[in-house]
Amino acid sequence: MKTSYKFSKAFKVCYIFSALLIVAGIASICTRKINLGIDFQPGLIEEVRIAPPAMQVTYNGAATVSLDASNTALDVVISGVGAENETKTFTYGQNPTIDSLCTALNSIDGISAKVLSSGSANSYGIFTNNAETSRLSTDKPFMLYVSSSQTETSIDELRTVLASQKVVLKELGTSDNRSYQIRAKIANDDSSSQELQDGVLSALRKKYGKDNVAIVKTDFVGSSFSGSLILKSILLTIATVFLIWLYATIRFHWDFALGAVIALMHDCLIMFSFISFLQIEFSTTTLAAVLTIFGYSINATVVILDRVRENMKKLNTKDFTEILNQSLNDTLARSIITTVTTLFASISLLVFTTGSIHDFAVALTIGLLSGCYSSIFISSGFISFMRRNWTPGAEAKHVKPRPTAETSLSN
């Protein structure tokens, strides 16, 4: 005989357990705060490369000369008093190596270019240090770098170098074209982006040398942008919950829909509690995990509610709790199998990834467990309470009867 579990006996215990966990989470949020990522706080995003310079360029003359390196060519912009305003373009296709590009630059009056390393390297790999001015002078040589001349370093080593700066690091590109994204958030609006840049740059130069660090790109997330992103995220979450409630109300009944929404809010609060407990960085990636769980949890809840609606017509009983228990037993195997198979993927990400993907996997794993639990106990417990005085036939006007064989023949 198939085992039948009395899930209703655990409803009160589960509600007390969830309430205690959520209260503890709210207390943690109030005291320890949520570890907001750079997406939701003003901060700095820089892309850096560690490499020795391949070429140095100087200029001795009255004109103003600057260099601009793109993906396909190196532009020499000449302007100022006593010079014709012009831009000379040296494509990498016509100057395929650092040596040939150096020869081309030396053909311009006043410019002196010297190869420092990797003369035979492909010129398509050229990049510059955007932290330095691109204007050429005799006092300070302008450095050009190539990807193939990068020194061997690792992200773990960079984390050690920048440990005091409290930054988040991410590897970009391939082994032949490696760069690192540095993300640093500021504590308040009084801190400037320049202070952040100076701290990161000085730490890198102290370890690798002044000329061996190139800042490829720098972006600063302002307080207005981060505040706008927080507001949009909140509105997005509210809109998602509202649409789910509307869908459940149309498909089932208002108390079923409210039970489904309560389960969603339960999952959201549980996830934020653990995000605060574990001090997981809350970024747009983590928000994606929360919204993913919304979809997963409502799907599991709808399957149970659909079986409840079917058993309300099929089972000959006046006890709604009995109908609910039978429905939960009917869908138990499906709920467990769906959760376990999805956990295989999330746990794999949890074990084998780092950074923002790891945080996503942690939030997703917690949400999967909470979603399965809330669909069975939280949503069903609320509906059981609302239907405590239920009588058969009370929902007849909300349920369209299915055609039977007899009605089909009579028609």
Side-chain angles (χ1 to χ4, degrees):
M1 180 181 288
K2 185 178 179 180
T3 304
S4 180
Y5 299 101
K6 301 296 182 182
F7 291 96
S8 57
K9 293 182 178 181
F11 286 163
K12 291 182 179 179
V13 175
C14 290
Y15 264 83
I16 293 173
F17 171 74
S18 293
L20 292 175
L21 193 59
I22 291 171
V23 169
I26 294 174
S28 176
I29 292 172
C30 293
T31 55
R32 303 179 64 191
K33 309 296 182 183
I34 292 179
N35 181 23
L36 294 176
I38 190 69
D39 301 322
F40 297 101
Q41 278 193 340
L44 176 72
I45 303 177
E46 281 191 337
E47 183 180 345
V48 302
R49 292 186 178 183
I50 310 299
M55 185 196 311
Q56 70 174 25
V57 185
T58 60
Y59 174 73
N60 185 12
T64 299
V65 180
S66 60
L67 294 183
D68 182 23
S70 65
N71 293 330
T72 58
L74 183 68
D75 294 329
V76 181
V77 182
I78 304 174
S79 61
V81 180
E84 296 182 3
N85 294 334
E86 61 178 329
T87 299
K88 295 188 176 183
T89 301
F90 299 97
T91 63
Y92 302 143
Q94 295 176 338
N95 304 276
T97 64
I98 297 298
D99 285 331
S100 60
L101 189 60
C102 181
T103 302
L105 289 174
N106 281 322
S107 65
I108 301 176
D109 291 339
I111 288 183
S112 175
K114 179 182 178 182
V115 175
L116 301 178
S117 64
S118 306
S120 59
N122 195 326
S123 56
Y124 276 99
I126 279 181
F127 59 92
T128 60
N129 183 5
N130 290 334
E132 302 289 344
T133 178
S134 60
R135 181 176 176 178
L136 303 182
S137 67
T138 56
D139 300 331
K140 188 176 183 180
F142 183 80
M143 302 297 180
L144 292 172
Y145 303 80
V146 287
S147 300
S148 60
S149 66
Q150 295 183 67
T151 56
E152 292 186 4
T153 187
S154 67
I155 192 168
D156 293 330
E157 184 178 76
L158 280 180
R159 287 195 178 104
T160 302
V161 173
L162 299 175
S164 61
Q165 303 298 319
K166 297 181 180 180
V167 299
V168 178
L169 289 171
K170 180 181 179 181
E171 280 186 324
L172 303 175
T174 63
S175 57
D176 296 331
N177 190 25
R178 179 74 69 208
S179 63
Y180 302 92
Q181 185 186 77
I182 299 175
R183 300 157 67 94
K185 56 186 177 182
I186 61 177
N188 52 64
D189 291 336
D190 295 329
S191 299
S192 67
S193 61
Q194 192 60 48
E195 292 174 349
L196 284 171
Q197 294 179 59
D198 292 343
V200 170
L201 191 57
S202 62
L204 292 174
R205 284 177 171 177
K206 183 178 179 180
K207 171 66 177 179
Y208 299 105
K210 181 179 179 180
D211 293 333
N212 295 333
V213 178
I215 306 297
V216 179
K217 183 172 64 175
T218 301
D219 291 315
F220 182 73
V221 179
S223 58
S224 59
F225 175 80
S226 58
S228 173
L229 190 59
I230 292 175
L231 178 61
K232 290 179 181 178
S233 299
I234 294 173
L235 293 177
L236 174 63
T237 304
I238 293 174
T240 302
V241 173
F242 172 76
L243 291 174
I244 289 174
W245 169 83
L246 184 63
Y247 161 78
T249 301
I250 295 173
R251 180 168 179 179
F252 300 105
H253 192 250
W254 71 266
D255 54 348
F256 280 30
L258 189 55
V261 169
I262 288 175
L264 288 181
M265 299 310 299
H266 167 274
D267 297 337
C268 183
L269 291 172
I270 291 295
M271 292 180 71
F272 273 96
S273 296
F274 277 93
I275 287 171
S276 179
F277 292 154
L278 304 176
Q279 285 296 288
I280 299 171
E281 183 182 70
F282 186 76
S283 62
T284 50
T285 304
T286 316
L287 177 63
V290 175
L291 295 178
T292 300
I293 292 304
F294 277 11
Y296 171 86
S297 180
I298 191 61
N299 179 67
T301 304
V302 164
V303 170
I304 295 173
L305 297 183
D306 194 56
R307 183 55 62 91
V308 172
R309 183 175 60 177
E310 182 178 339
N311 286 338
M312 287 168 62
K313 297 179 293 180
K314 185 171 64 175
L315 298 180
N316 186 21
T317 178
K318 296 182 179 180
D319 187 0
F320 185 79
T321 302
E322 183 179 340
I323 294 175
L324 197 57
N325 283 326
Q326 183 60 48
S327 302
L328 291 172
N329 277 282
D330 292 343
T331 57
L332 180 61
R334 185 263 181 200
S335 299
I336 293 177
I337 291 173
T338 303
T339 302
V340 171
T341 51
T342 312
L343 279 172
F344 287 154
S346 66
I347 292 177
S348 297
L349 292 174
L350 187 65
V351 173
F352 297 109
T353 62
T354 58
S356 60
I357 300 300
H358 182 268
D359 293 340
F360 173 85
V362 173
L364 191 64
T365 302
I366 294 169
L368 287 171
L369 296 174
S370 175
C372 181
Y373 161 80
S374 66
S375 297
I376 296 174
F377 295 104
I378 304 302
S379 176
S380 301
F382 174 80
I383 296 171
S384 176
F385 174 77
M386 297 300 296
R387 298 291 179 110
R388 60 191 183 281
N389 297 321
W390 174 82
T391 55
E395 305 298 325
K397 62 181 180 179
H398 298 288
V399 180
K400 182 179 179 181
R402 295 183 178 180
T404 62
E406 294 180 0
T407 57
S408 299
L409 291 174
S410 63
N411 292 333

